[in-house]
Amino acid sequence: MDALEEIFGKTAQMTVLKNLIEHKEESTYLSGIADETGLSHSSVARVITPLIKSDIVIEKPLGKQIRTFRLNLNNEKTKLILDFYDRLNNMD
C-alpha cells in the first residue's frame, strides 16, 4: 500500500488518478487505464467523469467513438495534487 492509499483508502477513483499521475505526460484510453489498473472499463468510465468535470483530467475525442484522457497540467488543482503526491512519496 502506498502513502496515498494509506491516507485516502484504495478506491477506484484514487487508482485511476494514480495511474494518470504516473503517466502524466501521456494521453491514454479508458481501456488502457482499465488494463493497467485491473479495473473494469465501466468502473474507469464512472470514476473518471468527476475528474473531467473538475478539470483535473482533459478528455479529447479521437474520431467518433474513441476518447483519450490526460492530466490537465495547467490546472491549479492538478498542480497541487502532483505536488502533494511528489512530497508524500519523497518522505522518509
Side-chain angles (χ1 to χ4, degrees):
M1 184 178 292
D2 73 1
L4 273 183
E5 290 174 356
E6 287 178 18
I7 296 168
F8 298 109
K10 185 169 181 164
T11 65
Q13 189 168 32
M14 185 61 64
T15 301
V16 168
L17 183 58
K18 278 180 35 186
N19 178 267
L20 291 167
I21 289 170
E22 291 165 3
H23 303 299
K24 64 185 170 201
E25 301 295 331
E26 306 165 19
S27 291
T28 188
Y29 307 96
L30 284 179
S31 58
I33 297 169
D35 288 345
E36 289 186 10
T37 61
L39 297 170
S40 69
H41 190 275
S42 61
S43 291
V44 174
R46 177 179 45 82
V47 301
I48 205 165
T49 299
L51 297 173
I52 294 166
K53 287 182 180 176
S54 63
D55 204 30
I56 292 170
V57 173
I58 298 171
E59 175 184 5
K60 183 178 177 187
L62 189 64
K64 290 186 178 186
Q65 295 184 357
I66 300 174
R67 304 180 301 164
T68 63
F69 304 92
R70 71 178 298 132
L71 281 182
N72 182 357
L73 298 176
N74 296 319
N75 181 292
E76 288 302 315
K77 289 182 273 187
T78 307
K79 291 176 186 178
L80 287 170
I81 291 167
L82 290 171
D83 183 54
F84 178 71
Y85 183 79
D86 288 341
R87 287 179 180 212
L88 199 55
N89 286 323
N90 289 323
M91 293 183 81
D92 295 331

